[in-house]
């Protein structure tokens, strides 16, 4: 007995009715989502504080404002995004009109993680609704307070004939995945990404996989250590390091490491005080399991800064590890916590070699006063996104696509990229029912002349037939 069967049937019926395709219907859903965010700002901030002890500013900056901006952008641009996109034709189709129609896929499944449980659930939802789909949302069961708000309050703001929230952990999600969807949008670990993709294969369902991994951060000798330290400390310890695009480790020379360490210590003290545990601006580890995992990683290399932990609060101090071996667990798995190992290399070439020997990361950062060094790093590597002398603030720019490459994921979203991700790009050619005489040339029996004409007509656009 499939517990999701009725919900899925209901949503499929709505989609088949065509209601979700109308621009007015889509706009009404987006407006509802915007109202949900505005009316429940405090409730969401409280839930995020309960789940992760997120500070109101970090909640606003990385979750609520980003969602609200995505909603506003989608409402503002809905008509232009939905418009057919005319394309040029070749000589064979000169008298026809060719265009790309963005049509909704149908029923979408969005599966979200716990680390930014509002952002990573609602930003994809904006794209899916704007594109005219019906949606099933599966928030993370780990960020429980946020899950509760999303399950109990959000549906009141949306048309429930096209939208539903489904709850559960791995077992329920796998049961849900046995059903057929028209697109699955998953954010989480590469391990579960493979489970999702395998389930999607059974129904030939397209997937977007937003995964994680180890994002490197190269620091060149030619840099101002305090500037680099400020930026790296902020985006490594933001949300207690539980950020998919946080710099997972620093690569630099031993000399730069020695200049960076006091600068990092100084930035930590300035941002979180002498006792970071009492800072209201430092989040906590989401649960006991992750706390224990991170505590285990503190034993790798040598603790140069921090290293303290308190299980009763799931607190781990902003920590820097040095003398770390490549083979140690901290360099084998994604850290996803407030621990920053420094790995020493002799320079740019060795750093590039270190990075390109590994899976393509979700993000890559390079810091240098010399723009050639930053550009070389960009040229000689690949990653989902790239920050030159900057952290993950590119995530606040909706005109940039967000997504991984290789092991860090497939597909992209944010802004119009989300709309396109949740739309089928249908190739359309509209010809006149008349003018049949002009078609004679392409029908058999073929002659030398028709051969020449067809070759010319197709070559003039540099295309080939089939
Ligand atoms: P996760 O893969 O454990 O869980 C993600 C979702 O999948 C949850 O909703 C969960 O209920 C479900 N799930 C978990 N195990 C499952 C299973 N065996 N079968 C079916 N479904 C299952 O990920 P997480 O711990 O919630 O999130 C952390 C990971 O997500 C990190 O690797 C991080 O880098 C990645 N992440 C990536 C991005 C991105 O945008 N690329 C953003 C945030 C987090």
């Amino acid at each position: 007995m499939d517990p999701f069967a009725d919900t899925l049937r209901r949503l499929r019926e709505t989609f088949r009715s065509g209601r979700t395709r109308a621009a007015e219907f889509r706009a009404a859903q987006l407006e509802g989502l915007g109202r949900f965010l505005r009316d429940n700002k405090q409730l969401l901030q409280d839930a995020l504080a309960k789940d992760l002890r997120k500070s109101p500013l970090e909640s606003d900056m990385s979750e609520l404002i980003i969602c609200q901006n995505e909603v506003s952008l989608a409402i503002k641009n809905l008509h232009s995004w939905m418009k057919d996109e005319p394309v040029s034709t070749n000589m064979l189709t000169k008298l026809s009109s060719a265009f790309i129609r963005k049509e909704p896929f149908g029923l979408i499944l969005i599966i979200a993680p716990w680390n930014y449980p509002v952002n990573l659930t609602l930003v994809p939802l904006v794209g899916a609704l704007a594109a005219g789909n019906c949606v099933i949302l599966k928030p993370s069961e780990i960020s429980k307070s946020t899950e509760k708000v999303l399950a109990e309050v959000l549906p009141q703001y949306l048309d429930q004939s096209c939208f539903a929230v489904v709850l559960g952990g791995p077992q329920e999600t796998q049961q849900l995945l046995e059903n057929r969807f028209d697109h699955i949008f998953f954010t989480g670990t590469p391990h579960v990404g493979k489970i999702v993709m395998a389930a999607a294969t059974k129904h030939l369902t397209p997937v977007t996989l937003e995964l994680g991994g180890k994002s490197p951060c190269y620091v060149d000798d030619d840099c101002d250590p305090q500037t680099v330290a400020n930026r790296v400390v902020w985006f490594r310890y933001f949300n207690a390091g539980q950020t998919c695009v946080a710099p997972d480790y620093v690569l630099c020379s031993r000399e730069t490491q020695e200049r960076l360490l006091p600068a990092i210590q100084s930035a930590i003290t300035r941002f979180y005080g002498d006792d970071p545990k009492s800072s209201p601006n430092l989040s906590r580890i989401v649960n006991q399991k992750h706390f224990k995992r991170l505590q285990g990683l503190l034993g790798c290399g040598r603790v140069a800064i921090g290293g303290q932990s308190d299980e009763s609060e799931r607190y781990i101090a902003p920590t820097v590890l040095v003398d770390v071996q490549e083979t140690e667990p901290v360099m084998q798995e994604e850290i996803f916590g407030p621990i920053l190992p420094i790995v020493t290399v002799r320079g740019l070439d060795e750093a590039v070699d270190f990075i390109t020997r590994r899976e393509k990361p979700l993000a890559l950062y390079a810091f240098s006063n010399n723009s050639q060094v930053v550009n070389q790093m960009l040229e000689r590597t690949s990653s989902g996104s790239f920050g030159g002398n900057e952290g993950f603030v590119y995530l606040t720019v909706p005109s940039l696509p967000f997504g991984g490459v290789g092991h860090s994921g497939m597909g992209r979203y944010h802004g119009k990229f989300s709309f396109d991700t949740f739309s089928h790009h249908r190739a359309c050619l509209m010809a006149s029912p008349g003018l049949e005489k002009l078609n004679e040339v392409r029908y058999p029996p073929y002659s030398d002349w028709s051969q020449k004409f067809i070759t010319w007509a197709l070559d003039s656009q540099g295309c080939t037939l089939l």
Side-chain angles (χ1 to χ4, degrees):
M1 174 69 181
D2 178 3
F4 308 108
D6 285 348
T7 309
L8 265 77
R9 197 172 310 115
R10 176 165 54 84
L11 300 195
R12 282 218 175 274
E13 267 164 28
T14 305
F15 186 70
R16 260 198 305 275
S17 76
R19 287 175 62 220
T20 63
R21 290 178 181 250
E24 299 71 34
F25 184 89
R26 305 183 194 198
Q29 302 315 305
L30 293 170
E31 273 152 18
L33 194 45
R35 263 198 319 282
F36 163 75
L37 288 161
R38 279 192 300 280
D39 293 355
N40 299 288
K41 183 174 171 188
Q42 190 62 52
L43 194 64
L44 287 164
Q45 278 185 349
D46 292 348
L48 291 164
K50 268 198 203 133
D51 287 333
L52 290 146
R53 229 197 70 165
K54 264 190 203 194
S55 68
L57 191 135
E58 288 197 4
S59 292
D60 276 2
M61 182 178 177
S62 61
E63 307 243 27
L64 307 182
I65 296 175
I66 289 191
C67 292
Q68 193 71 62
N69 287 349
E70 286 277 337
V71 170
S72 306
L73 189 81
I75 291 174
K76 188 166 155 239
N77 292 289
L78 190 60
H79 284 276
S80 75
W81 291 351
M82 284 176 67
K83 260 200 196 134
D84 290 340
E85 210 177 294
V87 296
S88 58
T89 51
N90 55 28
M91 288 312 287
L92 201 63
T93 53
K94 205 67 203 158
L95 298 176
S96 305
S97 80
F99 58 88
I100 301 165
R101 159 102 14 128
K102 312 282 174 64
E103 61 176 32
F105 279 117
L107 182 54
I108 307 287
L109 172 62
I110 296 173
I111 304 176
W114 51 263
N115 60 329
Y116 290 89
V118 178
N119 178 330
L120 300 171
T121 311
L122 299 191
V123 172
L125 178 64
V126 171
L129 292 175
N133 296 286
C134 292
V135 183
I136 290 204
L137 208 61
K138 212 303 284 173
S140 172
E141 74 287 6
I142 291 177
S143 38
K144 281 203 176 323
S145 305
T146 310
E147 181 198 41
K148 191 165 161 24
V149 179
L150 294 173
E152 292 177 6
V153 187
L154 177 60
Q156 297 167 23
Y157 289 80
L158 298 173
D159 186 322
Q160 294 191 37
S161 69
C162 76
F163 171 78
V165 179
V166 159
L167 303 182
Q171 200 187 333
E172 292 80 2
T173 311
Q174 283 181 20
Q175 202 173 4
L176 181 62
L177 282 166
E178 281 170 22
N179 289 283
R180 182 179 175 162
F181 294 92
D182 299 302
H183 191 103
I184 301 175
F185 187 101
F186 169 81
T187 308
T189 52
H191 167 70
V192 181
K194 286 179 192 168
I195 295 174
V196 170
M197 198 163 173
T201 306
K202 218 164 77 190
H203 301 290
L204 284 181
T205 300
V207 289
T208 300
L209 299 179
E210 298 281 339
L211 310 177
K214 291 182 87 61
S215 297
C217 175
Y218 175 64
V219 183
D220 187 36
D221 287 344
D222 182 4
C223 72
D224 171 40
Q226 195 57 61
T227 304
V228 175
N230 294 344
R231 296 181 191 183
V232 171
V233 164
W234 182 61
F235 71 98
R236 165 78 277 194
Y237 303 118
F238 196 99
N239 198 26
Q242 299 164 112
T243 304
C244 56
V245 284
D248 191 87
Y249 59 93
V250 164
L251 289 171
C252 66
S253 68
R254 192 159 286 280
E255 300 74 55
T256 296
Q257 172 181 296
E258 295 317 310
R259 291 159 70 218
L260 269 181
L261 284 172
I264 290 177
Q265 178 64 74
S266 154
I268 290 173
T269 308
R270 195 147 55 84
F271 296 174
Y272 305 110
D274 288 326
D275 174 22
K277 194 174 157 192
S278 58
S279 166
N281 299 315
L282 194 65
S283 294
R284 293 296 186 260
I285 306 309
V286 71
N287 62 17
Q288 213 63 19
K289 185 177 145 213
H290 281 284
F291 175 84
K292 286 278 183 211
R293 180 183 63 78
L294 288 164
Q295 221 181 18
L297 297 182
L298 290 173
C300 300
R302 176 170 64 81
V303 173
I305 295 172
Q308 305 81 359
S309 60
D310 179 348
E311 188 165 356
S312 68
E313 280 194 30
R314 296 194 309 277
Y315 164 77
I316 293 194
T319 296
V320 178
L321 302 175
V322 294
D323 303 334
V324 170
Q325 302 302 311
E326 274 187 50
T327 48
E328 289 186 276
V330 81
M331 286 309 293
Q332 298 291 317
E333 61 182 80
E334 181 182 8
I335 297 170
F336 224 56
I339 301 171
L340 181 67
I342 300 182
V343 175
T344 54
V345 287
R346 276 189 294 271
L348 180 69
D349 289 343
E350 206 176 306
V352 167
D353 184 57
F354 191 94
I355 293 164
T356 52
R357 272 191 286 118
R358 291 168 166 71
E359 298 291 359
K360 290 179 183 174
L362 183 58
L364 173 55
Y365 305 98
F367 286 83
S368 177
N369 288 335
N370 182 347
S371 59
Q372 281 181 6
V373 169
V374 175
N375 281 321
Q376 282 256 338
M377 186 55 90
L378 175 60
E379 280 289 316
R380 295 167 62 187
T381 58
S382 176
S383 61
S385 44
F386 183 86
N389 288 308
E390 186 52 287
F392 47 54
V393 284
Y394 59 82
L395 289 174
T396 62
V397 181
S399 35
L400 285 174
F402 179 55
V405 56
H407 216 246
S408 54
M410 58 185 74
R412 65 208 63 78
Y413 73 128
H414 285 191
K416 183 170 185 293
F417 299 100
S418 299
F419 180 87
D420 286 341
T421 282
F422 289 110
S423 303
H424 166 55
H425 292 207
R426 192 175 187 181
C428 303
L429 188 87
M430 300 294 199
S432 159
L435 304 172
E436 181 58 4
K437 210 64 203 138
L438 293 175
N439 287 335
E440 291 291 322
V441 66
R442 65 189 187 194
Y443 300 145
Y446 301 129
S447 64
D448 282 355
W449 189 82
S450 56
Q451 170 83 44
K452 276 189 194 129
F453 178 81
I454 294 290
T455 306
W456 170 78
L458 295 178
D459 272 4
S460 63
Q461 277 294 311
C463 66
T464 49
L465 197 56
L466 296 181

